[in-house]
Amino acid sequence: MSESFWLGRLLLQFNSEASEIITDLSAVAFTPDGHLWLGSDEGTSLECLSPVGPHIFGEHQKFAVADFIDLSGDDEIDIEGIDFSSNCLWLVGSHSTKRKKPKGKDCEDDIERLATIETELNRYLLAKVPVKNGILYKSISHPENPQIQLTAGCLQRTETGNLLTDALQDDKHLGFYFSVPIPSKENGFDIEGLAVRGESIFLGLRGPVLRGWAIILEIEVEEAEPGVLRLKAIGEGGKLYNKHFVDLNGLGVRELCWNGEDLIVLAGPTMTLSGEMRVFRLKGILGRSGDSITGQGGGDLEVLFDLPFQVGTDNAEGLSLFPYLGEENSLLVVYDSPAASRMVGENAIFADIFRLGS
């Protein structure tokens, strides 16, 4: 990667109670009111930071998602994407199964753990929560039309997940990954990117990657009743989703964010391994009718730059546009498993800012 893309760093200061999630940051969004919202792939909360100085965010507030959305017990949501659209903060869980990790204490127990695949219902969450001035609300009047009420809600749950995973059960590309519950990070079904624009919701899949082609799902939702969202038919024939196949050099989608009308795509390995993370620009995704496939030869998909790579640490997870040093199109990146050099004490951490250009 050319070092000319790196602009600088942003210091994120959390309260002491966030010491457990600070090394597991997996999503970030910068909202028009000047706040940073962050999510972790551990726990069930959203974190809000406010500007407190040049290139410094602090005054940490924690919001329990269960205060706004009905959850299934205390299991983690595995938040993998956050975005802001139409006065609401959107969030998505991984929608994935997981294989238990060995603990390194007992050989037989560890072998048995590697044979155990778990399903946690909170991971099957696609939700929106009204937000105003750095505060989340279960319900609030629309700021421009007080007669309209904005209400928190999530895609309707089902016995096996939610309406989206049910709709994908018979899909010719993805159905197999639900009939055989292949875990995340093993090329199983795993949502790790979220970008919302108007009624269009784009979900980037870390897996599966099919013969080198990554997948971005496009859906629309509508309110079935207060607090409950359902899939809305898009395109012809009553389809409930579109599939957009993209050539990310064999990598899966690790995050999405908007840059004008373009999607910025963070790509990385789908499996549990350390590898280079690459940033792409995907053009013309809005308004496509039906499924699509985009290679790198037609001008609609271009490689922007590679992120610095370290084995076993600094796993880029969250993206958001962020104004920095006069650059309106700068890209904020937060990391899971951060390098020790990013840590400032136990409760503060550096995020990176990269130049996107035009």
Side-chain angles (χ1 to χ4, degrees), residues 106-124:
D106 180 88
C107 178
E108 291 187 7
D109 180 65
D110 281 348
I111 291 173
E112 187 59 34
R113 290 178 68 84
L114 282 174
T116 304
I117 298 173
E118 296 181 323
T119 299
E120 297 176 348
L121 293 181
N122 283 341
R123 289 176 167 233
Y124 297 85

Side-chain angles (χ1 to χ4, degrees), residues 17-38:
E17 63 185 27
S19 58
E20 294 184 359
I21 65 108
I22 197 171
T23 57
D24 294 301
L25 297 177
S26 56
V28 64
F30 180 65
T31 53
D33 58 15
H35 292 89
L36 273 180
W37 291 87
L38 298 110

Side-chain angles (χ1 to χ4, degrees), residues 176-198:
F176 168 78
Y177 294 89
F178 293 97
S179 61
V180 179
I182 302 173
S184 62
K185 303 175 182 61
E186 298 179 21
N187 207 37
F189 188 86
D190 188 3
I191 295 175
E192 287 211 5
L194 171 68
V196 184
R197 175 67 61 85

Side-chain angles (χ1 to χ4, degrees), residues 12 14 25 27-28 36-40 45-49 82 334:
L12 311 180
F14 295 85
L25 297 177
V28 64
L36 273 180
W37 291 87
L38 298 110
S40 164
S45 65
L46 290 167
E47 322 300 323
C48 181
L49 300 181
I82 301 175
V334 298

Side-chain angles (χ1 to χ4, degrees), residues 125-290:
L125 182 70
L126 173 63
K128 65 172 184 175
V129 184
V131 59
K132 181 179 180 181
N133 297 329
I135 302 293
L136 297 180
Y137 295 88
K138 192 160 189 176
S139 184
I140 189 175
S141 297
H142 193 288
E144 299 169 3
N145 188 347
Q147 295 181 342
I148 298 176
Q149 199 73 8
L150 300 173
T151 304
C154 69
L155 190 61
Q156 184 177 331
R157 309 287 187 85
T158 65
E159 291 183 1
T160 56
N162 62 22
L163 293 181
L164 174 60
T165 55
D166 281 9
L168 293 170
Q169 297 284 333
D170 296 322
D171 183 84
K172 61 184 178 182
H173 296 103
L174 296 172
F176 168 78
Y177 294 89
F178 293 97
S179 61
V180 179
I182 302 173
S184 62
K185 303 175 182 61
E186 298 179 21
N187 207 37
F189 188 86
D190 188 3
I191 295 175
E192 287 211 5
L194 171 68
V196 184
R197 175 67 61 85
E199 294 185 342
S200 298
I201 301 170
F202 293 88
L203 304 169
L205 303 188
R206 176 173 178 165
V209 171
L210 304 182
R211 199 172 176 91
W213 291 86
I215 303 170
I216 298 173
L217 296 176
E218 178 187 1
I219 62 172
E220 295 182 10
V221 298
E222 59 187 3
E223 193 171 72
E225 58 185 80
V228 179
L229 305 175
R230 65 187 173 200
L231 292 175
K232 181 180 177 181
I234 58 176
E236 299 179 355
K239 286 182 58 180
L240 296 178
Y241 58 90
N242 289 328
K243 292 173 291 186
H244 303 292
F245 296 87
V246 287
D247 176 13
L248 305 181
N249 301 124
L251 302 173
V253 177
R254 302 296 287 271
E255 185 57 292
L256 302 170
C257 78
W258 293 109
N259 179 205
E261 300 296 298
D262 302 335
L263 263 185
I264 302 301
V265 183
L266 174 66
T270 185
M271 308 292 281
T272 304
L273 55 87
S274 293
E276 289 192 358
M277 309 285 283
R278 177 162 286 186
V279 179
F280 293 79
R281 184 190 301 276
L282 177 60
K283 302 177 181 179
I285 190 69
L286 288 169
R288 293 187 185 183
S289 58

